Amino acid sequence: MILKSIISCFICLTILFAEAKPPKPTILVTGGGGYIGSHTIVELLNDSYSIVVLDNLSNCYAFNATEKPESLKRVEKLTNKNVVFNNIDIRDEKSLDKVFKTYKIGAVIHFAALKSVSESTRKPVEYYDNNVAGTNTLIQAMQNNKVKKLIYSSSATVYGNPQYLPLTENHPTGQNITNPYGRSKYFTEEILKDLSYADSQWKIILLRYFNPVGAHPSGLIGEDPTGIPNNLMPYLSQVAIGRRDHLKIFGSDYPTPDGTGVRDFIHIIDLASGHLRALKKLMDPEFRGCKAYNLGTGKGYSVLDLVKTFEKVSGRRINYQITDRRRGDLATVYADPNLAEKELKWRAERYIEQMCEDTWRWQMQNPNGYHTDEEESN
Ligand code: NAD
Ligand code: UD1
């Protein structure tokens, strides 16, 4: 009898161990307190990855410097999981090294960057220091600690003025980029390509985002720009909620169906799930080198399309005024997303209505973003 029990116990344990999957690696997320980082972390936690975040709080709200950013507290609430947070600048070599020595990091997703196009024209050196030199310091720390898997947040801006549409990944990059922010993304891509040529152990994926918009459908996390928004969607939603008087539409004389600019808006949850697929690719033993993928929907919508859809879903009238073109703006930009579909098995699924609905829910539930005090966020 006892022998029978021992044997059946042994069989059960063998089956259990055979079925148990190895734990997923810990992912270091730089800039994880920000808009795209926080949404991506939700998807990663839901897929059982452990997360270590580093962020210097330069563009995300925390009650004080020793606390987690509010975005990450809400991520924890949403997922019922813990996020390890370190208030560290990616240019701080010693602190980075300590992070790699403390946690067993399997791969890095690198979001941390300054991202305001207009600010970059006023402070180019700061942008190159943060975005280019910062990435260089990060990859040195990775190299020293033998962590050689990286996903880099790039942008459609690296294509400059499109020579053809839709934009494929082999469209020339680095030509006619109109601002230092865009060039900082291009230069960093080039550094990462050189690194992968020099050392074949590196596995790098460059994700070229088109225009990320929207928020988590819970309304708990979303985009929380500091000061006056530069980008269309956050400005639009602040007009809808009454925080801004009217939207300025920059130009109505573009060679587009209604004369306003056309962009490939992509829902933030689709963008976040693109990172999961990229991570899977990075973990594939067959994957080698440095490869770029577009993350877009492949469809272009005009500024006026977005305004009308937002009016429809919110039931609010959006006051707008047509003004001159904004310097450096392009007429039409949209992706060819087929490479990501073929190789990452990823495709954007959410439509423009959902992008507006989720933005509006986030805006209504959080009229001042993550701040509780209106003055601080304006
Ligand atoms: P975000 O500003 O919301 O998030 C970036 C985070 O990085 C912030 O929390 C900020 O505090 C942190 N950070 C900045 N510099 C840092 C440094 N030196 N050390 C540590 N932390 C630092 O921006 P986002 O919209 O989430 O963008 C994330 C990435 O995606 C950026 O690299 C951006 O260039 C790229 N990108 C964004 C868009 C977009 O429309 N949002 C489009 C294309 C590419
Ligand atoms: C901009 C940046 C790009 C960056 C991206 C995300 C430029 C040239 N490009 O893209 O590098 O990766 O943001 O941060 O700045 N618009 C208005 N009124 C507004 C704001 C925007 O009409 O108040 C229009 C613009 O003219 C454009 C469209 O809306 O036609 C989208 O603008 P925006 O959201 O700023 O994104 P991009 O310019 O595409």
Side-chain angles (χ1 to χ4, degrees), residues 31 33-37 54-60 88-91 110-115 130 153-155 181 185 209-210 212 223:
Y35 173 45
I36 306 175
L54 57 88
D55 198 300
N56 68 355
L57 305 181
S58 61
N59 200 32
C60 62
I88 287 175
D89 193 297
I90 53 163
R91 293 162 294 183
H110 177 32
F111 294 105
L114 297 174
K115 65 162 181 179
N130 198 81
S153 291
S154 190
S155 164
Y181 163 74
K185 292 278 133 181
Y209 311 151
F210 280 68
E223 186 171 10

PDB file of all heavy atoms in Angstrom, residues 31 33-37 54-60 88-91 110-115 130 153-155 181 185 209-210 212 223, ligand 1:
ATOM      1  N   GLY A  31      12.665  53.889 -18.925  1.00  0.00           N
ATOM      2  CA  GLY A  31      11.566  54.815 -19.259  1.00  0.00           C
ATOM      3  C   GLY A  31      10.202  54.179 -19.054  1.00  0.00           C
ATOM      4  O   GLY A  31       9.219  54.591 -19.668  1.00  0.00           O
ATOM      5  N   GLY A  33       8.135  54.408 -16.712  1.00  0.00           N
ATOM      6  CA  GLY A  33       7.078  55.210 -16.084  1.00  0.00           C
ATOM      7  C   GLY A  33       6.293  56.019 -17.106  1.00  0.00           C
ATOM      8  O   GLY A  33       5.251  56.604 -16.784  1.00  0.00           O
ATOM      9  N   GLY A  34       6.775  56.054 -18.338  1.00  0.00           N
ATOM     10  CA  GLY A  34       6.160  56.917 -19.358  1.00  0.00           C
ATOM     11  C   GLY A  34       4.965  56.272 -20.048  1.00  0.00           C
ATOM     12  O   GLY A  34       4.488  55.197 -19.654  1.00  0.00           O
ATOM     13  N   TYR A  35       4.496  56.962 -21.085  1.00  0.00           N
ATOM     14  CA  TYR A  35       3.254  56.572 -21.770  1.00  0.00           C
ATOM     15  C   TYR A  35       3.350  55.159 -22.380  1.00  0.00           C
ATOM     16  O   TYR A  35       2.582  54.264 -22.016  1.00  0.00           O
ATOM     17  CB  TYR A  35       2.977  57.624 -22.853  1.00  0.00           C
ATOM     18  CG  TYR A  35       1.838  57.341 -23.784  1.00  0.00           C
ATOM     19  CD1 TYR A  35       0.611  56.872 -23.321  1.00  0.00           C
ATOM     20  CD2 TYR A  35       1.982  57.564 -25.163  1.00  0.00           C
ATOM     21  CE1 TYR A  35      -0.444  56.644 -24.204  1.00  0.00           C
ATOM     22  CE2 TYR A  35       0.934  57.349 -26.041  1.00  0.00           C
ATOM     23  CZ  TYR A  35      -0.279  56.882 -25.562  1.00  0.00           C
ATOM     24  OH  TYR A  35      -1.302  56.652 -26.435  1.00  0.00           O
ATOM     25  N   ILE A  36       4.303  54.949 -23.269  1.00  0.00           N
ATOM     26  CA  ILE A  36       4.347  53.656 -23.969  1.00  0.00           C
ATOM     27  C   ILE A  36       4.869  52.568 -23.027  1.00  0.00           C
ATOM     28  O   ILE A  36       4.358  51.437 -23.021  1.00  0.00           O
ATOM     29  CB  ILE A  36       5.207  53.755 -25.257  1.00  0.00           C
ATOM     30  CG1 ILE A  36       4.676  54.911 -26.142  1.00  0.00           C
ATOM     31  CG2 ILE A  36       5.178  52.439 -26.028  1.00  0.00           C
ATOM     32  CD1 ILE A  36       5.490  55.191 -27.375  1.00  0.00           C
ATOM     33  N   GLY A  37       5.862  52.942 -22.199  1.00  0.00           N
ATOM     34  CA  GLY A  37       6.427  51.972 -21.264  1.00  0.00           C
ATOM     35  C   GLY A  37       5.377  51.394 -20.330  1.00  0.00           C
ATOM     36  O   GLY A  37       5.272  50.168 -20.178  1.00  0.00           O
ATOM     37  N   LEU A  54      13.657  51.217 -14.843  1.00  0.00           N
ATOM     38  CA  LEU A  54      14.427  52.378 -14.405  1.00  0.00           C
ATOM     39  C   LEU A  54      13.974  53.602 -15.171  1.00  0.00           C
ATOM     40  O   LEU A  54      13.701  53.561 -16.370  1.00  0.00           O
ATOM     41  CB  LEU A  54      15.932  52.143 -14.459  1.00  0.00           C
ATOM     42  CG  LEU A  54      16.650  51.746 -15.717  1.00  0.00           C
ATOM     43  CD1 LEU A  54      17.054  52.980 -16.468  1.00  0.00           C
ATOM     44  CD2 LEU A  54      17.880  50.969 -15.301  1.00  0.00           C
ATOM     45  N   ASP A  55      13.815  54.685 -14.415  1.00  0.00           N
ATOM     46  CA  ASP A  55      13.288  55.926 -14.984  1.00  0.00           C
ATOM     47  C   ASP A  55      13.801  57.064 -14.104  1.00  0.00           C
ATOM     48  O   ASP A  55      13.860  56.924 -12.884  1.00  0.00           O
ATOM     49  CB  ASP A  55      11.751  55.875 -14.954  1.00  0.00           C
ATOM     50  CG  ASP A  55      11.115  56.898 -15.898  1.00  0.00           C
ATOM     51  OD1 ASP A  55      11.351  58.111 -15.725  1.00  0.00           O
ATOM     52  OD2 ASP A  55      10.370  56.469 -16.801  1.00  0.00           O
ATOM     53  N   ASN A  56      14.177  58.179 -14.715  1.00  0.00           N
ATOM     54  CA  ASN A  56      14.676  59.303 -13.903  1.00  0.00           C
ATOM     55  C   ASN A  56      13.571  60.305 -13.573  1.00  0.00           C
ATOM     56  O   ASN A  56      13.853  61.407 -13.098  1.00  0.00           O
ATOM     57  CB  ASN A  56      15.854  60.009 -14.611  1.00  0.00           C
ATOM     58  CG  ASN A  56      15.413  60.732 -15.880  1.00  0.00           C
ATOM     59  OD1 ASN A  56      14.256  60.648 -16.292  1.00  0.00           O
ATOM     60  ND2 ASN A  56      16.337  61.450 -16.494  1.00  0.00           N
ATOM     61  N   LEU A  57      12.323  59.956 -13.848  1.00  0.00           N
ATOM     62  CA  LEU A  57      11.134  60.767 -13.529  1.00  0.00           C
ATOM     63  C   LEU A  57      11.123  62.115 -14.258  1.00  0.00           C
ATOM     64  O   LEU A  57      10.405  63.023 -13.854  1.00  0.00           O
ATOM     65  CB  LEU A  57      11.011  61.006 -12.007  1.00  0.00           C
ATOM     66  CG  LEU A  57      10.992  59.777 -11.101  1.00  0.00           C
ATOM     67  CD1 LEU A  57      10.835  60.202  -9.641  1.00  0.00           C
ATOM     68  CD2 LEU A  57       9.880  58.807 -11.463  1.00  0.00           C
ATOM     69  N   SER A  58      11.924  62.249 -15.331  1.00  0.00           N
ATOM     70  CA  SER A  58      11.948  63.552 -16.017  1.00  0.00           C
ATOM     71  C   SER A  58      10.647  63.820 -16.759  1.00  0.00           C
ATOM     72  O   SER A  58      10.283  64.958 -16.980  1.00  0.00           O
ATOM     73  CB  SER A  58      13.140  63.648 -16.971  1.00  0.00           C
ATOM     74  OG  SER A  58      13.053  62.638 -17.961  1.00  0.00           O
ATOM     75  N   ASN A  59       9.929  62.762 -17.136  1.00  0.00           N
ATOM     76  CA  ASN A  59       8.660  62.999 -17.823  1.00  0.00           C
ATOM     77  C   ASN A  59       7.556  62.049 -17.348  1.00  0.00           C
ATOM     78  O   ASN A  59       6.737  61.602 -18.154  1.00  0.00           O
ATOM     79  CB  ASN A  59       8.829  62.898 -19.346  1.00  0.00           C
ATOM     80  CG  ASN A  59       7.700  63.585 -20.082  1.00  0.00           C
ATOM     81  OD1 ASN A  59       7.150  64.586 -19.599  1.00  0.00           O
ATOM     82  ND2 ASN A  59       7.314  63.058 -21.233  1.00  0.00           N
ATOM     83  N   CYS A  60       7.592  61.731 -16.048  1.00  0.00           N
ATOM     84  CA  CYS A  60       6.443  61.002 -15.503  1.00  0.00           C
ATOM     85  C   CYS A  60       6.258  61.444 -14.054  1.00  0.00           C
ATOM     86  O   CYS A  60       7.231  61.747 -13.366  1.00  0.00           O
ATOM     87  CB  CYS A  60       6.595  59.496 -15.636  1.00  0.00           C
ATOM     88  SG  CYS A  60       7.967  58.791 -14.763  1.00  0.00           S
ATOM     89  N   ILE A  88      16.655  55.977 -11.651  1.00  0.00           N
ATOM     90  CA  ILE A  88      18.024  56.017 -12.188  1.00  0.00           C
ATOM     91  C   ILE A  88      18.005  56.648 -13.576  1.00  0.00           C
ATOM     92  O   ILE A  88      17.084  56.431 -14.356  1.00  0.00           O
ATOM     93  CB  ILE A  88      18.598  54.569 -12.262  1.00  0.00           C
ATOM     94  CG1 ILE A  88      18.929  54.047 -10.863  1.00  0.00           C
ATOM     95  CG2 ILE A  88      19.829  54.487 -13.162  1.00  0.00           C
ATOM     96  CD1 ILE A  88      19.378  52.604 -10.841  1.00  0.00           C
ATOM     97  N   ASP A  89      19.052  57.397 -13.863  1.00  0.00           N
ATOM     98  CA  ASP A  89      19.223  57.986 -15.191  1.00  0.00           C
ATOM     99  C   ASP A  89      20.044  57.013 -16.040  1.00  0.00           C
ATOM    100  O   ASP A  89      21.041  56.470 -15.556  1.00  0.00           O
ATOM    101  CB  ASP A  89      19.963  59.333 -15.034  1.00  0.00           C
ATOM    102  CG  ASP A  89      19.911  60.155 -16.294  1.00  0.00           C
ATOM    103  OD1 ASP A  89      20.457  59.703 -17.336  1.00  0.00           O
ATOM    104  OD2 ASP A  89      19.315  61.242 -16.263  1.00  0.00           O
ATOM    105  N   ILE A  90      19.645  56.841 -17.300  1.00  0.00           N
ATOM    106  CA  ILE A  90      20.396  55.886 -18.145  1.00  0.00           C
ATOM    107  C   ILE A  90      21.829  56.344 -18.427  1.00  0.00           C
ATOM    108  O   ILE A  90      22.630  55.571 -18.928  1.00  0.00           O
ATOM    109  CB  ILE A  90      19.691  55.585 -19.494  1.00  0.00           C
ATOM    110  CG1 ILE A  90      19.349  56.877 -20.243  1.00  0.00           C
ATOM    111  CG2 ILE A  90      18.474  54.705 -19.314  1.00  0.00           C
ATOM    112  CD1 ILE A  90      19.051  56.662 -21.714  1.00  0.00           C
ATOM    113  N   ARG A  91      22.142  57.603 -18.119  1.00  0.00           N
ATOM    114  CA  ARG A  91      23.518  58.072 -18.328  1.00  0.00           C
ATOM    115  C   ARG A  91      24.406  57.791 -17.114  1.00  0.00           C
ATOM    116  O   ARG A  91      25.604  58.077 -17.138  1.00  0.00           O
ATOM    117  CB  ARG A  91      23.517  59.567 -18.650  1.00  0.00           C
ATOM    118  CG  ARG A  91      22.880  59.864 -19.997  1.00  0.00           C
ATOM    119  CD  ARG A  91      22.491  61.306 -20.126  1.00  0.00           C
ATOM    120  NE  ARG A  91      21.419  61.653 -19.200  1.00  0.00           N
ATOM    121  CZ  ARG A  91      20.842  62.848 -19.130  1.00  0.00           C
ATOM    122  NH1 ARG A  91      21.234  63.804 -19.935  1.00  0.00           N
ATOM    123  NH2 ARG A  91      19.876  63.092 -18.260  1.00  0.00           N
ATOM    124  N   HIS A 110      14.081  49.442 -24.309  1.00  0.00           N
ATOM    125  CA  HIS A 110      14.636  50.779 -24.037  1.00  0.00           C
ATOM    126  C   HIS A 110      13.719  51.889 -24.570  1.00  0.00           C
ATOM    127  O   HIS A 110      13.793  52.264 -25.737  1.00  0.00           O
ATOM    128  CB  HIS A 110      16.025  50.849 -24.676  1.00  0.00           C
ATOM    129  CG  HIS A 110      16.695  52.163 -24.553  1.00  0.00           C
ATOM    130  ND1 HIS A 110      16.519  53.013 -23.476  1.00  0.00           N
ATOM    131  CD2 HIS A 110      17.584  52.804 -25.382  1.00  0.00           C
ATOM    132  CE1 HIS A 110      17.252  54.106 -23.659  1.00  0.00           C
ATOM    133  NE2 HIS A 110      17.884  54.006 -24.798  1.00  0.00           N
ATOM    134  N   PHE A 111      12.875  52.415 -23.652  1.00  0.00           N
ATOM    135  CA  PHE A 111      11.976  53.512 -24.007  1.00  0.00           C
ATOM    136  C   PHE A 111      12.543  54.872 -23.629  1.00  0.00           C
ATOM    137  O   PHE A 111      12.126  55.887 -24.190  1.00  0.00           O
ATOM    138  CB  PHE A 111      10.642  53.384 -23.246  1.00  0.00           C
ATOM    139  CG  PHE A 111       9.805  52.189 -23.605  1.00  0.00           C
ATOM    140  CD1 PHE A 111       9.715  51.095 -22.758  1.00  0.00           C
ATOM    141  CD2 PHE A 111       9.083  52.166 -24.781  1.00  0.00           C
ATOM    142  CE1 PHE A 111       8.926  50.006 -23.078  1.00  0.00           C
ATOM    143  CE2 PHE A 111       8.293  51.094 -25.123  1.00  0.00           C
ATOM    144  CZ  PHE A 111       8.210  50.002 -24.263  1.00  0.00           C
ATOM    145  N   ALA A 112      13.430  54.902 -22.623  1.00  0.00           N
ATOM    146  CA  ALA A 112      13.827  56.196 -22.047  1.00  0.00           C
ATOM    147  C   ALA A 112      14.410  57.137 -23.091  1.00  0.00           C
ATOM    148  O   ALA A 112      15.395  56.815 -23.752  1.00  0.00           O
ATOM    149  CB  ALA A 112      14.854  55.975 -20.932  1.00  0.00           C
ATOM    150  N   ALA A 113      13.780  58.286 -23.250  1.00  0.00           N
ATOM    151  CA  ALA A 113      14.276  59.317 -24.172  1.00  0.00           C
ATOM    152  C   ALA A 113      13.489  60.589 -23.921  1.00  0.00           C
ATOM    153  O   ALA A 113      12.391  60.548 -23.359  1.00  0.00           O
ATOM    154  CB  ALA A 113      14.083  58.874 -25.627  1.00  0.00           C
ATOM    155  N   LEU A 114      14.061  61.701 -24.367  1.00  0.00           N
ATOM    156  CA  LEU A 114      13.285  62.944 -24.433  1.00  0.00           C
ATOM    157  C   LEU A 114      12.603  62.937 -25.792  1.00  0.00           C
ATOM    158  O   LEU A 114      13.192  62.498 -26.776  1.00  0.00           O
ATOM    159  CB  LEU A 114      14.214  64.154 -24.301  1.00  0.00           C
ATOM    160  CG  LEU A 114      14.979  64.270 -22.972  1.00  0.00           C
ATOM    161  CD1 LEU A 114      15.977  65.428 -23.034  1.00  0.00           C
ATOM    162  CD2 LEU A 114      14.004  64.468 -21.809  1.00  0.00           C
ATOM    163  N   LYS A 115      11.350  63.442 -25.864  1.00  0.00           N
ATOM    164  CA  LYS A 115      10.623  63.210 -27.117  1.00  0.00           C
ATOM    165  C   LYS A 115       9.902  64.428 -27.710  1.00  0.00           C
ATOM    166  O   LYS A 115       9.102  64.273 -28.630  1.00  0.00           O
ATOM    167  CB  LYS A 115       9.611  62.094 -26.911  1.00  0.00           C
ATOM    168  CG  LYS A 115       8.519  62.444 -25.917  1.00  0.00           C
ATOM    169  CD  LYS A 115       7.316  61.530 -26.038  1.00  0.00           C
ATOM    170  CE  LYS A 115       6.238  61.918 -25.067  1.00  0.00           C
ATOM    171  NZ  LYS A 115       5.053  61.101 -25.141  1.00  0.00           N
ATOM    172  N   ASN A 130      20.970  62.975 -23.891  1.00  0.00           N
ATOM    173  CA  ASN A 130      20.022  62.047 -23.261  1.00  0.00           C
ATOM    174  C   ASN A 130      19.758  60.827 -24.154  1.00  0.00           C
ATOM    175  O   ASN A 130      19.839  59.685 -23.708  1.00  0.00           O
ATOM    176  CB  ASN A 130      18.708  62.785 -22.990  1.00  0.00           C
ATOM    177  CG  ASN A 130      17.847  62.080 -21.968  1.00  0.00           C
ATOM    178  OD1 ASN A 130      18.054  62.208 -20.767  1.00  0.00           O
ATOM    179  ND2 ASN A 130      16.900  61.290 -22.432  1.00  0.00           N
ATOM    180  N   SER A 153      13.062  51.653 -28.925  1.00  0.00           N
ATOM    181  CA  SER A 153      11.929  52.477 -29.371  1.00  0.00           C
ATOM    182  C   SER A 153      12.394  53.467 -30.411  1.00  0.00           C
ATOM    183  O   SER A 153      12.940  54.523 -30.085  1.00  0.00           O
ATOM    184  CB  SER A 153      11.415  53.328 -28.207  1.00  0.00           C
ATOM    185  OG  SER A 153      10.812  52.547 -27.252  1.00  0.00           O
ATOM    186  N   SER A 154      12.148  53.141 -31.669  1.00  0.00           N
ATOM    187  CA  SER A 154      12.482  54.104 -32.714  1.00  0.00           C
ATOM    188  C   SER A 154      11.191  54.724 -33.233  1.00  0.00           C
ATOM    189  O   SER A 154      10.121  54.546 -32.633  1.00  0.00           O
ATOM    190  CB  SER A 154      13.297  53.426 -33.816  1.00  0.00           C
ATOM    191  OG  SER A 154      13.793  54.411 -34.692  1.00  0.00           O
ATOM    192  N   SER A 155      11.295  55.432 -34.335  1.00  0.00           N
ATOM    193  CA  SER A 155      10.147  56.221 -34.790  1.00  0.00           C
ATOM    194  C   SER A 155      10.119  56.279 -36.310  1.00  0.00           C
ATOM    195  O   SER A 155      11.171  56.222 -36.967  1.00  0.00           O
ATOM    196  CB  SER A 155      10.306  57.637 -34.214  1.00  0.00           C
ATOM    197  OG  SER A 155       9.465  58.534 -34.881  1.00  0.00           O
ATOM    198  N   TYR A 181      15.417  65.814 -32.436  1.00  0.00           N
ATOM    199  CA  TYR A 181      14.803  64.612 -31.847  1.00  0.00           C
ATOM    200  C   TYR A 181      14.832  63.470 -32.865  1.00  0.00           C
ATOM    201  O   TYR A 181      15.274  62.356 -32.564  1.00  0.00           O
ATOM    202  CB  TYR A 181      13.355  64.888 -31.399  1.00  0.00           C
ATOM    203  CG  TYR A 181      12.574  63.600 -31.181  1.00  0.00           C
ATOM    204  CD1 TYR A 181      12.816  62.801 -30.066  1.00  0.00           C
ATOM    205  CD2 TYR A 181      11.629  63.165 -32.120  1.00  0.00           C
ATOM    206  CE1 TYR A 181      12.136  61.597 -29.891  1.00  0.00           C
ATOM    207  CE2 TYR A 181      10.947  61.969 -31.945  1.00  0.00           C
ATOM    208  CZ  TYR A 181      11.199  61.189 -30.837  1.00  0.00           C
ATOM    209  OH  TYR A 181      10.545  59.993 -30.671  1.00  0.00           O
ATOM    210  N   LYS A 185      17.027  59.732 -32.945  1.00  0.00           N
ATOM    211  CA  LYS A 185      16.516  58.363 -33.153  1.00  0.00           C
ATOM    212  C   LYS A 185      17.305  57.688 -34.277  1.00  0.00           C
ATOM    213  O   LYS A 185      17.673  56.524 -34.179  1.00  0.00           O
ATOM    214  CB  LYS A 185      15.021  58.412 -33.514  1.00  0.00           C
ATOM    215  CG  LYS A 185      14.132  58.874 -32.369  1.00  0.00           C
ATOM    216  CD  LYS A 185      13.810  57.745 -31.416  1.00  0.00           C
ATOM    217  CE  LYS A 185      14.000  58.127 -29.987  1.00  0.00           C
ATOM    218  NZ  LYS A 185      13.733  57.069 -29.034  1.00  0.00           N
ATOM    219  N   TYR A 209       7.803  53.197 -34.435  1.00  0.00           N
ATOM    220  CA  TYR A 209       6.398  53.488 -34.147  1.00  0.00           C
ATOM    221  C   TYR A 209       5.896  54.560 -35.103  1.00  0.00           C
ATOM    222  O   TYR A 209       6.594  55.530 -35.375  1.00  0.00           O
ATOM    223  CB  TYR A 209       6.210  54.047 -32.733  1.00  0.00           C
ATOM    224  CG  TYR A 209       6.872  53.314 -31.607  1.00  0.00           C
ATOM    225  CD1 TYR A 209       7.260  54.016 -30.458  1.00  0.00           C
ATOM    226  CD2 TYR A 209       7.100  51.943 -31.630  1.00  0.00           C
ATOM    227  CE1 TYR A 209       7.861  53.374 -29.385  1.00  0.00           C
ATOM    228  CE2 TYR A 209       7.705  51.295 -30.566  1.00  0.00           C
ATOM    229  CZ  TYR A 209       8.084  52.017 -29.456  1.00  0.00           C
ATOM    230  OH  TYR A 209       8.684  51.395 -28.387  1.00  0.00           O
ATOM    231  N   PHE A 210       4.641  54.440 -35.491  1.00  0.00           N
ATOM    232  CA  PHE A 210       4.006  55.518 -36.242  1.00  0.00           C
ATOM    233  C   PHE A 210       3.369  56.472 -35.215  1.00  0.00           C
ATOM    234  O   PHE A 210       4.091  56.986 -34.377  1.00  0.00           O
ATOM    235  CB  PHE A 210       3.121  54.943 -37.368  1.00  0.00           C
ATOM    236  CG  PHE A 210       4.010  54.575 -38.536  1.00  0.00           C
ATOM    237  CD1 PHE A 210       4.921  53.517 -38.426  1.00  0.00           C
ATOM    238  CD2 PHE A 210       4.053  55.348 -39.687  1.00  0.00           C
ATOM    239  CE1 PHE A 210       5.837  53.232 -39.446  1.00  0.00           C
ATOM    240  CE2 PHE A 210       4.959  55.065 -40.709  1.00  0.00           C
ATOM    241  CZ  PHE A 210       5.848  54.016 -40.591  1.00  0.00           C
ATOM    242  N   PRO A 212       1.409  56.704 -31.997  1.00  0.00           N
ATOM    243  CA  PRO A 212       0.705  56.027 -30.903  1.00  0.00           C
ATOM    244  C   PRO A 212      -0.317  56.954 -30.241  1.00  0.00           C
ATOM    245  O   PRO A 212       0.010  58.097 -29.903  1.00  0.00           O
ATOM    246  CB  PRO A 212       1.818  55.680 -29.903  1.00  0.00           C
ATOM    247  CG  PRO A 212       3.108  55.950 -30.602  1.00  0.00           C
ATOM    248  CD  PRO A 212       2.831  56.945 -31.666  1.00  0.00           C
ATOM    249  N   GLU A 223      -1.939  58.732 -21.654  1.00  0.00           N
ATOM    250  CA  GLU A 223      -0.874  59.700 -21.948  1.00  0.00           C
ATOM    251  C   GLU A 223      -1.070  60.949 -21.096  1.00  0.00           C
ATOM    252  O   GLU A 223      -2.165  61.507 -21.059  1.00  0.00           O
ATOM    253  CB  GLU A 223      -0.902  60.055 -23.450  1.00  0.00           C
ATOM    254  CG  GLU A 223       0.257  60.941 -23.857  1.00  0.00           C
ATOM    255  CD  GLU A 223       0.384  61.119 -25.373  1.00  0.00           C
ATOM    256  OE1 GLU A 223      -0.529  60.706 -26.108  1.00  0.00           O
ATOM    257  OE2 GLU A 223       1.412  61.685 -25.789  1.00  0.00           O
TER     258      GLU A 223
HETATM  259  P1  NAD B   1       7.447  59.363 -22.301  1.00  0.00           P
HETATM  260  O1  NAD B   1       8.131  60.670 -22.165  1.00  0.00           O
HETATM  261  O2  NAD B   1       6.056  59.245 -21.850  1.00  0.00           O
HETATM  262  O3  NAD B   1       8.310  58.220 -21.582  1.00  0.00           O
HETATM  263  C1  NAD B   1       9.718  58.252 -21.561  1.00  0.00           C
HETATM  264  C2  NAD B   1      10.174  57.989 -20.123  1.00  0.00           C
HETATM  265  O4  NAD B   1      11.589  57.978 -20.109  1.00  0.00           O
HETATM  266  C3  NAD B   1       9.713  59.053 -19.140  1.00  0.00           C
HETATM  267  O5  NAD B   1       9.058  58.432 -18.044  1.00  0.00           O
HETATM  268  C4  NAD B   1      11.005  59.742 -18.705  1.00  0.00           C
HETATM  269  O6  NAD B   1      10.942  60.158 -17.352  1.00  0.00           O
HETATM  270  C5  NAD B   1      12.035  58.669 -18.953  1.00  0.00           C
HETATM  271  N1  NAD B   1      13.386  59.176 -19.265  1.00  0.00           N
HETATM  272  C6  NAD B   1      13.731  60.125 -20.165  1.00  0.00           C
HETATM  273  N2  NAD B   1      15.067  60.289 -20.164  1.00  0.00           N
HETATM  274  C7  NAD B   1      15.575  59.435 -19.244  1.00  0.00           C
HETATM  275  C8  NAD B   1      16.888  59.135 -18.780  1.00  0.00           C
HETATM  276  N3  NAD B   1      17.951  59.799 -19.226  1.00  0.00           N
HETATM  277  N4  NAD B   1      17.029  58.186 -17.833  1.00  0.00           N
HETATM  278  C9  NAD B   1      15.963  57.513 -17.352  1.00  0.00           C
HETATM  279  N5  NAD B   1      14.701  57.763 -17.735  1.00  0.00           N
HETATM  280  C10 NAD B   1      14.505  58.703 -18.672  1.00  0.00           C
HETATM  281  O7  NAD B   1       7.574  58.952 -23.846  1.00  0.00           O
HETATM  282  P2  NAD B   1       6.801  57.805 -24.632  1.00  0.00           P
HETATM  283  O8  NAD B   1       5.774  58.451 -25.478  1.00  0.00           O
HETATM  284  O9  NAD B   1       6.417  56.730 -23.695  1.00  0.00           O
HETATM  285  O10 NAD B   1       7.969  57.335 -25.602  1.00  0.00           O
HETATM  286  C11 NAD B   1       8.782  56.228 -25.298  1.00  0.00           C
HETATM  287  C12 NAD B   1       9.802  56.027 -26.393  1.00  0.00           C
HETATM  288  O11 NAD B   1       9.145  55.880 -27.650  1.00  0.00           O
HETATM  289  C13 NAD B   1      10.769  57.190 -26.578  1.00  0.00           C
HETATM  290  O12 NAD B   1      12.027  56.661 -26.873  1.00  0.00           O
HETATM  291  C14 NAD B   1      10.223  57.934 -27.781  1.00  0.00           C
HETATM  292  O13 NAD B   1      11.237  58.615 -28.479  1.00  0.00           O
HETATM  293  C15 NAD B   1       9.682  56.779 -28.602  1.00  0.00           C
HETATM  294  N6  NAD B   1       8.608  57.194 -29.514  1.00  0.00           N
HETATM  295  C16 NAD B   1       7.472  57.779 -29.007  1.00  0.00           C
HETATM  296  C17 NAD B   1       6.455  58.164 -29.874  1.00  0.00           C
HETATM  297  C18 NAD B   1       5.200  58.804 -29.336  1.00  0.00           C
HETATM  298  O14 NAD B   1       4.417  59.341 -30.133  1.00  0.00           O
HETATM  299  N7  NAD B   1       4.922  58.781 -28.046  1.00  0.00           N
HETATM  300  C19 NAD B   1       6.595  57.962 -31.252  1.00  0.00           C
HETATM  301  C20 NAD B   1       7.764  57.361 -31.735  1.00  0.00           C
HETATM  302  C21 NAD B   1       8.764  56.973 -30.840  1.00  0.00           C
END
